[in-house]
Amino acid sequence: MQITVTVNGIPCTREVEPRLLLIHFLRDELGLTGSHWGCDTSNCGACVVWLDDTPVKSCTVLAAMADGRRVLTVEGLGRAGRLDPVQEGFAACHGLQCGFCTPGMMMTARWLLDHHPDPSAEQIRAALSGQICRCTGYENIVRSVLWASRHEAGQHGAGQHEAGQHEAAAPRAAGPGAGETRGALP
Amino acid sequence: MTGAAEDLRRTACGGSAHGGSAHGDSAHGDSAHGGSAHGDSAYGSLPRKEDARFIRGKGTFVDDIQLPGMLHGAILRSPLAHARIVSVDTTAAQAHPQVEAVITGQMLAERGLAWMPTLSRDVQAVLATDKVRFQGQEVAFVVARDRYSARDALELISVEYEPLPPVIDAERALDPGAPVIRDDLPGKADNHIFDWEAGDQQATDAVFAVADVVVAQDMLYPRVHPAPLETCGAVADLDPVTGKLTLWSTSQAPHAHRTMYALIAGLPEHKIRVISPDIGGGFGNKVPLYPGYLCAIAGTMLTGRPVKWVEDRSENLMSTSFARDYHMHGEIAATADGRILGLRATVLADHGAFNATAQPSKFPAGFFHIFTGSYDLQAAHCQVTAVYTTKAPGGVAYACSFRITEAVYLVERMVDLLARELGMDPAELRMKNLLRPEQFPYTGPTGWEYDSGDYPRALRLAMEMAGYDELRREQARLRERGEYIGIGLSFFTEGVGAGPRGQMDILGLGMADGADLRVYPTGKAVLGISVQTQGQGHETTFAQIVAQELGISPEDVEVVHGDTDRTPFGLGTYGSRSTPVSGAATAMVARRVRERARIVAAAMLEVAPADLEWAGRRWQVRGDPDQARSMAEIAMAAHSALELPDGVEGHLDASMVYNPPNLTFPFGAYICVVGVDPGTGEVTVRRFIAVDDCGVRINPMIVEGQVHGGLADGVGMALMQAIVYDENGNCLGGSFMDYLLPTSAECPSWELGTTVTPSPHHPLGAKGVGESATVGSPAAVVNAVLDAISPFGVRHADMPLTPANVWSAIQGRPQRTDLAVT
Amino acid sequence: MQVPAHVDYEKATSVEHALALLARFGPETRVLAGGHSLIPMMKLRLAQPGTLVDINGLSELSYITVTEGELRIGALTRHAQLLASAAAGAHFPILHDAEQVIADPVVRNWGTIGGSLCQADPSEDLSAAFAALQASMLIQGPAGSRIVPAREFHTGPYETVVASAELLAEIRIPVRPGGGSAYQKVGRRVGDWPVCAAGAAIWLSGDTITAAGIGLTAVGAPSFAAAEAEDFLRGAPATEASFRRAGQIAAEHCHPVSDQRGPADYKRHLASELTSRALAVALRRAQERELAGDQQPAQGEDERQGDGRVPGRGGVPGRGGAPGKGGAPGKGGPPGKERVQGKGRVPGKGQEPGKGRAGPRGA
């Protein structure tokens, strides 16, 4: 069947099997490998992306269900080459170690700050309680989100994630060595 | 950028009410040890260089790799724990239109590939031929054009099994008449693997005989699993023209893996390239070779195309290296006034169906004999018996520092039980028995030589941070109201950084690691190291070491790792060995470069090398700062037409292999505060205070991050994690619905403190730290829970202390947690 | 990650269209709402439907209103919407208590009330909550609609009265003046199935209980309810002693099974303990309500969710679990079903398709 999903602002039309999971559509069809998967039972949250305006576990959604809807992934965070404050917060506060859970954590954090700009540490922990990290013990993830909430001036609001204002869906990953390995924070 | 970013972080990330960053009594924790005394230190909480790609979702993990023509593999696994294979029929699977190949054990056997050596000199089936020996064991491998078809094709393979009785209870594995699991081993008539002992049994018996008090306890360290968030996998690509095999894989030890593939698959080692790209967590789970990697290699050999195999989570939990599963009996002997005299332990170790533990070969039970802990004992003896069971193979993993997790848990529980017996406060009992600073370096009763430590200072700091005395008063007040909090301690000594090679090898490969450093004409440096980051921040920390030694910016140092074509040989990252071993290698190789630079600088300045002194960033003529050269200037000169004297051939490159003289011994004092609801058995972790001493800290931010992660492990293992099998051999921990991991909701805000006791033998004074918190924390949580419910007469209960287990313990019936609940 | 088997797919554009599709494609068809119960089962191949009928576009099934003296919840309402609903929380705090401990915040964004109820897991929290509230279900079918009381909705584990060509459309709860309700759950960790959970709703006249509803989940309580305990409470004084006794009675009439969440005696104990705790909180809330001035059911409160899309809001969940406990709130519970032998596929399945539990909650 043919589906059209607007991913990070770009309409993507593809022929897919109905059983194709959204996470595989994003990673394998569109080459957006920033979202990951880590379990079989919808527990780990490495796959969290936005479907329309809300974080969902994309391993538990069929690509077909996203037909006609919008998806935002980590590749779509930030605006016109600038990092999102959530991304900056994670780097400033050592909120990541291996980086595997990080995109999912950031997508939920971004949603949280859009709706609760001044969350408490407890609210942050509750909001992220459906997602597993094996490296950080969560402490610095919470600090990263708090940092982002305090550094949102001038960039506040969900508007920055609307269509057309962020990076286009990347081409398929090119294979060995693909992916940037350098580049300081702006 | 460095200074500003660091300031930004420090002022904005602090967070918790107990002080965000290190709260300690050491003013020198952040500074370099030896080396440069002037100028800005490159040590410090530098933000990580690797973050740039991860926060953009631009990491490259194994499953991100896409190659032209790449095929996908899937493994058919046994549903039974123990069975003869009668037949395997792959006809229907081969007929699937998307299937390119189906590989069976029989096919591998014809090429001598059906069995592979394990890291413990046993053998393990790549694909089963005669029998299956654990639920989840690999039976066949499908290679298809897409991952969905590969999965579909598994259902088209028909295997006929003749079930055999499983062996699940390790305590029954050596019963006469128990089913023999390893009948593939010639002459094997039982499930015994090895016996091993350490210490002085006679001296220990003598000490126990005269002790006023002897306390004994059985305790289990359950089977758990490291469960890194990224599962294991590989992409194997054999180039049919050049004959070179490139293998991207989730490997914590790419060079060791390369050598093993050469030996197993008969491929020339110089035609094998193992690349560990970004790895989503290792924790020891990614040290062994797994059948899936070999199958991917077989697949690319067969099809001539790249083959990707990445396991599901259920496969990860059910077939890859688990951790622990130590059934321990501990005894502690003491005087009536609380002087600990001796310790004994006997252990039954469940290794699963194959002995695939990864530890230095002279130590089949790893470093368990460090179970004497942090105390001044007269004698100790331990004895370990290892057995096979029809379960997944493994045992050494999950930040265990080669069984130090088990050892520390045992001694810290025994000390608490002794405190209970004597009616002494557990902190006071520890303080009375901790080794004193003047006793270092200290050789313990089982042969370990601890390098340095000031234990009482760390414990005092932890107690001060916790407000220990006030906590005990609060506990008393709450008990009167029928509310229960518990305060649990754990004091641990770790031994990490294996090496030296003469004592420590894995499969005959000595545990010494190399580093090579090249300095380019414009003064930029590239460091190749053999250790492999899985999130520990090597790209940053090692750049800082080079920067510190050469007086250049960490931004000017590129760290290369994970690719066997581009890095020197070494045994990889596990056992917290990166900083102790490769960190030392890096410092030493950078000092070699610096010494070469001295000679070049002397030639540039037309003085003798002895006339120069290192001024932190430059070689300068003694007493004449105007006569100096920076590393960048020297680098250009070293590549130029300048006439060079003897002692340097040109360029500034150097390499070395570091053979550590000893392990390093980080230590820590942990205090956990829990609340327990006796009506339901639920436990809440309210606070966790952790004082760690890992010697000199190159990047305190990274060190603290490592500690945070390990503390969460302790909460998880103490309260919710266990892989359990039912009596039919079904694995009940095969998903994240069954094998529960702690989330942000179960973890408190960790309160960290630091002391710094440099290692006297490490070039930087640094010790490892990656596993310290995983080693030290479970006992603190367990001791806290048991402290909370001790008014109910509970003496001991095993991990995991689930609500059911806690409530059952309060009723006088703690659960046996290695078997299924009945 | 595991992946589903082949399946056909249809997208419904209206309730009528959905019913027509269900009828057309027969008993191998499954309704796809949030998918967070069904898709995990499909990935583990415990469920292998022939056709999926996607109803996520049916905005007419997504609402929370107070109409004709009833709180009415459209079956496509997402868990997050119910948790965020001021009307639901004001009238029936038990629903908020329960939602806070169902799955996790991200799963709650997409899983639906109807999906969870139709999944009919024996440990489903909402089944107990709706049983306590004496709710009823509105089922749409080819011949029109019918109403089934919540306590008659389930016919066994993973089985309901909703026939293959029918659709659960709405859940209705009568709103009565006064009263208080609460939910108490014990689990091993946040986001997991309960070891045991109890919901209670009581109405008083002075200090006497005039009506009580007790729901229990995960312990094999018939119809997710503790009818004998309710009978005991009717006319009894609203005291701790009554609540203790009610708990004991509830525990006597349930059938917990030992598993990795705990032995049966522990679960039976929890049935008693949590029932009495839920009653105590329900009483406190009833008393607080009375002090605040009794509210008549508000007519016309209406929280439509627009076009059925996932809402942009959702309550930031607190820690979950009701106050008054010393332990960790909101932890969840259960592992999946145990394994069977003899099948030639990845072990850990073994359940017949269509049954069993494989993922988080909220379809």
Side-chain angles (χ1 to χ4, degrees):
Chain A
M1 57 183 288
Q2 191 180 87
I3 61 172
T4 299
V5 186
T6 301
V7 181
N8 299 332
I10 309 292
C12 300
T13 302
R14 297 286 190 283
E15 187 70 30
V16 303
E17 289 184 26
R19 63 171 171 165
L20 182 70
L21 299 169
L22 180 59
I23 183 63
H24 289 142
F25 177 72
L26 296 170
R27 289 179 50 79
D28 299 337
E29 282 297 317
L30 301 184
L32 294 169
T33 56
S35 308
H36 306 130
W37 57 266
C39 76
D40 308 320
T41 47
S42 316
N43 292 113
C44 80
C47 65
V48 171
V49 300
W50 287 20
L51 182 59
D52 288 332
D53 300 304
T54 321
V56 298
K57 292 185 170 177
S58 64
C59 71
T60 316
V61 173
L62 301 178
M65 293 159 77
D67 182 32
R69 297 182 185 261
R70 292 170 287 117
V71 171
L72 185 73
T73 71
V74 60
E75 290 93 341
L77 278 183
R79 171 187 207 155
R82 290 217 53 187
L83 290 172
D84 186 286
V86 167
Q87 292 170 300
E88 291 180 328
F90 271 72
C93 297
H94 192 32
L96 64 144
Q97 292 182 24
C98 81
F100 202 73
C101 76
T102 308
M105 293 289 184
M106 293 193 302
M107 298 310 294
T108 300
R110 179 67 267 158
W111 179 91
L112 177 68
L113 294 181
D114 282 355
H115 295 95
H116 303 274
D118 189 22
S120 66
E122 173 144 320
Q123 285 177 310
I124 295 170
R125 286 178 181 275
L128 296 177
S129 62
Q131 298 170 240
I132 305 275
C133 173
R134 302 296 287 140
C135 298
T136 68
Y138 304 104
E139 179 70 30
N140 285 347
I141 292 177
V142 174
R143 293 183 191 173
S144 300
V145 180
L146 287 170
W147 187 101
S149 74
R150 292 192 287 264
H151 289 79
E152 294 258 65
Q155 303 186 54
H156 178 61
Q160 64 174 312
H161 315 302
E162 292 309 318
Q165 290 179 0
H166 37 247
E167 300 165 45
R172 295 176 60 83
E180 299 158 17
T181 55
R182 57 186 54 80
L185 293 176
Chain B
M1 200 280 277
T2 304
E6 190 172 337
D7 286 344
L8 185 68
R9 195 200 73 82
R10 279 192 183 150
T11 56
C13 293
S16 82
H18 297 277
S21 197
H23 165 150
D25 66 350
S26 166
H28 304 296
D30 289 358
S31 65
H33 170 77
S36 155
H38 309 288
D40 293 343
S41 171
Y43 290 6
S45 295
L46 193 69
R48 298 194 330 165
K49 302 165 100 197
E50 43 265 81
D51 287 357
R53 62 188 184 273
F54 294 125
I55 59 173
R56 292 169 170 81
K58 297 292 188 192
T60 303
F61 299 91
V62 167
D63 195 41
D64 298 344
I65 292 169
Q66 304 260 34
L67 300 175
M70 189 174 75
L71 302 171
H72 295 258
I75 294 179
L76 179 71
R77 296 180 180 274
S78 166
L80 301 174
H82 199 198
R84 268 193 209 296
I85 295 178
V86 176
S87 65
V88 180
D89 183 354
T90 63
T91 321
Q94 291 180 62
H96 187 298
Q98 302 304 321
V99 167
E100 289 283 334
V102 184
I103 302 174
T104 63
Q106 209 46 53
M107 289 166 65
L108 290 182
E110 286 156 17
R111 293 161 177 79
L113 287 174
W115 293 85
M116 64 180 189
T118 70
L119 296 175
S120 283
R121 298 194 187 281
D122 191 358
V123 288
Q124 175 176 354
V126 176
L127 292 176
T129 49
D130 56 335
K131 273 172 39 169
V132 291
R133 294 172 168 89
F134 64 94
Q135 187 186 56
Q137 185 178 350
E138 299 81 2
V139 174
F141 189 69
V142 165
V143 181
R145 291 199 197 98
D146 65 87
R147 71 172 84 224
Y148 283 58
S149 297
R151 174 67 184 81
D152 293 343
L154 292 180
E155 291 179 352
L156 302 177
I157 300 175
S158 222
V159 182
E160 197 185 330
Y161 295 103
E162 187 186 286
L164 297 168
V167 179
I168 294 305
D169 185 345
E171 296 176 19
R172 303 260 75 86
L174 295 179
D175 286 354
V180 176
I181 302 166
R182 296 300 306 280
D183 51 352
D184 60 295
L185 298 171
K188 191 70 180 159
D190 59 24
N191 295 314
H192 182 259
I193 308 178
F194 66 78
D195 288 307
W196 188 79
E197 64 177 306
D200 185 333
Q201 184 163 35
Q202 263 194 326
T204 305
D205 288 347
V207 151
F208 270 75
V210 301
D212 297 326
V213 178
V214 172
V215 178
Q217 181 64 50
D218 290 336
M219 63 184 77
L220 171 72
Y221 207 132
R223 175 176 285 237
V224 288
H225 194 284
L229 201 61
E230 178 206 29
T231 59
C232 301
V235 176
D237 185 14
L238 179 66
D239 184 321
V241 173
T242 64
K244 180 147 187 181
L245 172 69
T246 303
L247 185 79
W248 290 263
S249 73
T250 50
S251 169
Q252 295 179 230
H255 301 87
H257 281 199
R258 184 193 67 201
T259 305
M260 288 185 69
Y261 290 130
L263 296 172
I264 294 169
L267 295 166
E269 193 173 359
H270 65 299
K271 298 277 206 178
I272 302 174
R273 178 183 185 187
V274 178
I275 301 174
S276 298
D278 292 318
I279 298 184
F283 315 111
N285 188 218
K286 293 171 176 168
V287 170
L289 241 56
Y290 290 121
Y293 304 155
L294 272 303
C295 288
I297 293 174
T300 189
M301 288 167 128
L302 203 56
T303 63
R305 291 162 65 172
V307 173
K308 172 189 280 188
W309 168 77
V310 184
E311 61 177 2
D312 300 333
R313 177 57 61 186
S314 65
E315 298 179 274
N316 176 255
L317 293 172
M318 293 177 67
S319 74
T320 67
S321 179
F322 72 92
R324 323 277 193 273
D325 215 341
Y326 256 30
H327 304 240
M328 305 185 281
H329 173 82
E331 295 182 12
I332 189 165
T335 63
D337 66 340
R339 242 206 158 288
I340 303 174
L341 301 173
L343 267 175
R344 299 204 262 243
T346 49
V347 179
L348 180 69
D350 183 339
H351 282 227
F354 305 106
N355 185 13
T357 51
Q359 71 277 305
S361 66
K362 296 180 174 64
F363 303 95
F367 299 163
F368 180 76
H369 56 303
I370 205 172
F371 79 115
T372 52
S374 315
Y375 307 104
D376 191 3
L377 307 183
Q378 292 179 13
H381 179 256
C382 67
Q383 202 257 328
V384 179
T385 298
V387 297
Y388 290 119
T389 58
T390 51
K391 302 175 192 170
V396 170
Y398 203 179
C400 69
S401 295
F402 306 124
R403 302 281 190 193
I404 300 185
T405 38
E406 291 87 320
V408 165
Y409 178 70
L410 176 82
V411 62
E412 290 304 296
R413 277 297 301 131
M414 294 311 302
V415 168
D416 252 41
L417 286 161
L418 178 64
R420 189 177 188 274
E421 180 73 17
L422 296 173
M424 258 178 100
D425 178 278
E428 187 191 333
L429 178 61
R430 284 176 170 82
M431 193 63 89
K432 185 163 184 152
N433 287 280
L434 286 174
L435 292 164
R436 300 266 166 259
E438 56 271 17
Q439 291 178 275
F440 287 82
Y442 168 78
T443 301
T446 55
W448 293 104
E449 186 185 309
Y450 296 178
D451 58 1
S452 65
D454 186 342
Y455 294 175
R457 181 167 136 221
L459 180 55
R460 271 196 302 273
L461 177 58
M463 291 172 70
E464 181 191 309
M465 287 172 63
Y468 186 80
D469 295 336
E470 178 51 36
L471 282 172
R472 286 291 177 204
R473 288 192 287 271
E474 186 189 352
Q475 179 179 48
R477 285 194 295 269
L478 289 170
R479 276 184 185 162
E480 281 166 25
R481 290 180 6 209
E483 292 176 37
Y484 299 90
I485 66 169
I487 305 142
L489 280 82
S490 172
F491 197 103
F492 67 93
T493 297
E494 261 266 65
V496 297
R501 66 196 301 146
Q503 286 177 39
M504 309 272 176
D505 67 90
I506 295 188
L507 275 193
L509 296 171
M511 297 181 78
D513 279 56
D516 53 42
L517 184 59
R518 299 181 198 204
V519 183
Y520 294 169
T522 53
K524 312 300 184 196
V526 177
L527 173 74
I529 51 173
S530 59
V531 290
Q532 176 48 48
T533 192
Q534 315 114 37
Q536 297 93 327
H538 293 173
E539 291 168 34
T540 305
T541 308
F542 286 90
Q544 289 178 267
I545 295 175
V546 172
Q548 180 67 9
E549 298 295 332
L550 297 187
I552 60 179
S553 165
E555 283 307 305
D556 291 341
V557 183
E558 181 80 359
V559 176
V560 177
H561 58 97
D563 182 336
T564 59
D565 269 8
R566 298 169 64 198
T567 54
F569 190 89
L571 267 286
T573 295
Y574 41 84
S576 306
R577 64 193 298 274
S578 293
T579 296
V581 185
S582 286
T586 299
M588 307 277 293
V589 79
R591 289 172 190 174
R592 269 188 197 174
V593 165
R594 197 170 71 214
E595 282 307 305
R596 284 191 191 170
R598 178 208 287 261
I599 297 172
V600 175
M604 294 165 81
L605 292 166
E606 296 177 340
V607 298
D611 293 337
L612 295 176
E613 63 181 2
W614 179 249
R617 288 187 174 281
R618 311 177 309 165
W619 284 112
Q620 75 176 39
V621 175
R622 271 178 224 285
D624 190 357
D626 292 336
Q627 295 281 342
R629 291 292 180 268
S630 70
M631 193 57 63
E633 293 166 326
I634 296 169
M636 185 58 78
H639 291 82
S640 72
L642 177 71
E643 277 295 340
L644 295 171
D646 295 337
V648 62
E649 295 159 344
H651 308 173
L652 288 181
D653 303 341
S655 69
M656 71 98 60
V657 177
Y658 184 71
N659 186 27
N662 189 6
L663 302 184
T664 61
F665 295 84
F667 57 94
Y670 290 173
I671 300 178
C672 180
V673 183
V674 303
V676 178
D677 179 344
T680 63
E682 289 169 296
V683 175
T684 311
V685 180
R686 297 184 171 198
R687 291 180 65 196
F688 201 112
I689 295 92
V691 171
D692 279 273
D693 189 318
C694 60
V696 170
R697 307 191 306 164
I698 296 151
N699 187 317
M701 175 189 81
I702 288 180
V703 168
E704 287 166 17
Q706 295 294 298
V707 174
H708 290 162
L711 297 179
D713 284 337
V715 168
M717 285 188 282
L719 300 182
M720 64 187 74
Q721 289 171 225
I723 304 263
V724 175
Y725 291 74
D726 73 15
E727 70 273 14
N728 296 314
N730 293 308
C731 177
L732 305 182
S735 79
F736 281 168
M737 278 179 55
D738 308 302
Y739 183 64
L740 301 174
L741 296 171
T743 72
S744 51
E746 287 80 36
C747 294
S749 180
W750 316 109
E751 301 166 55
L752 263 45
T754 264
T755 63
V756 178
T757 315
S759 169
H761 68 75
H762 188 278
L764 300 175
K767 304 180 180 180
V769 73
E771 295 162 306
S772 286
T774 310
V775 166
S777 58
V781 183
V782 172
N783 283 342
V785 175
L786 294 171
D787 182 61
I789 61 177
S790 68
F792 296 95
V794 180
R795 172 196 158 94
H796 179 75
D798 282 325
M799 299 185 278
L801 295 171
T802 60
N805 195 10
V806 170
W807 183 84
S808 298
I810 291 172
Q811 314 314 309
R813 303 186 296 273
Q815 294 182 316
R816 183 171 166 184
T817 56
D818 61 324
L819 299 179
V821 173
T822 47
Chain C
M1 182 192 7
Q2 307 201 36
V3 298
H6 283 290
V7 69
D8 291 327
Y9 173 92
E10 297 287 336
K11 185 182 280 196
T13 53
S14 68
V15 172
E16 293 68 37
H17 185 215
L19 293 173
L21 288 169
L22 290 171
R24 180 164 141 214
F25 289 99
E28 293 308 308
T29 312
R30 297 291 286 270
V31 172
L32 178 64
H36 278 47
S37 297
L38 180 59
I39 291 174
M41 293 218 310
M42 289 174 63
K43 285 160 69 174
L44 295 181
R45 306 210 174 187
L46 296 172
Q48 298 200 31
T51 304
L52 296 173
V53 174
D54 183 344
I55 62 166
N56 284 288
L58 304 191
S59 55
E60 64 265 43
L61 289 182
S62 181
Y63 54 86
I64 300 171
T65 69
V66 179
T67 312
E68 294 170 23
E70 293 178 321
L71 181 76
R72 292 179 178 177
I73 305 168
L76 199 65
T77 302
R78 313 282 173 184
H79 287 284
Q81 292 166 322
L82 186 57
L83 182 58
S85 160
H91 291 297
F92 305 110
I94 181 178
L95 294 177
H96 277 192
D97 288 350
E99 281 293 357
Q100 283 203 348
V101 295
I102 285 175
D104 62 68
V106 178
V107 168
R108 290 197 292 267
N109 281 339
W110 199 242
T112 65
I113 308 303
S116 291
L117 289 171
C118 291
Q119 169 71 359
D121 196 294
S123 299
E124 175 54 54
D125 290 296
L126 287 183
S127 302
F130 287 131
L133 294 174
Q134 304 275 17
S136 51
M137 279 67 173
L138 175 73
I139 300 170
Q140 301 270 25
S145 64
R146 60 195 180 102
I147 301 210
V148 174
R151 298 188 183 202
E152 292 168 33
F153 184 73
H154 301 97
T155 55
Y158 310 103
E159 285 174 2
T160 71
V161 297
V162 180
S164 64
E166 290 183 311
L167 200 60
L168 173 64
E170 181 182 275
I171 299 91
R172 300 177 166 181
I173 311 160
V175 177
R176 291 185 286 183
S181 64
Y183 196 75
Q184 293 265 327
K185 168 176 171 176
V186 168
R188 296 176 303 181
R189 197 205 64 186
V190 73
D192 217 346
W193 295 94
V195 184
C196 173
I202 54 170
W203 287 261
L204 307 163
S205 172
D207 291 325
T208 304
I209 298 169
T210 56
I214 298 175
L216 280 172
T217 190
V219 288
S223 305
F224 292 94
E228 297 83 0
E230 293 167 343
D231 291 341
F232 164 79
L233 285 173
R234 203 170 302 112
T239 62
E240 189 187 322
S242 297
F243 297 158
R244 290 246 149 258
R245 185 73 194 114
Q248 284 160 3
I249 296 170
E252 281 161 23
H253 289 91
C254 64
H255 308 280
V257 168
S258 294
D259 61 18
Q260 286 308 105
R261 274 181 215 89
D265 67 335
Y266 170 64
K267 296 186 183 185
R268 196 178 294 282
H269 161 78
L270 285 181
S272 172
E273 181 73 25
L274 299 181
T275 296
S276 58
R277 291 189 188 190
L279 285 165
V281 178
L283 171 67
R284 185 169 54 71
R285 286 176 175 163
Q287 289 166 339
E288 283 166 4
R289 234 176 159 185
E290 198 179 317
L291 283 173
D294 199 6
Q295 297 155 20
Q296 294 298 317
Q299 293 298 323
E301 284 177 54
D302 191 348
E303 294 170 1
R304 256 171 217 288
Q305 306 302 333
D307 59 359
R309 286 170 179 267
V310 179
R313 309 174 66 79
V316 174
R319 279 287 196 114
K325 289 165 36 172
K331 300 204 287 195
K337 275 312 206 170
E338 273 49 277
R339 317 298 166 223
V340 304
Q341 311 181 50
K343 304 218 168 127
R345 16 172 222 176
V346 180
K349 315 312 168 296
Q351 296 237 327
E352 287 138 50
K355 303 208 190 293
R357 166 200 311 145
R361 342 254 317 280

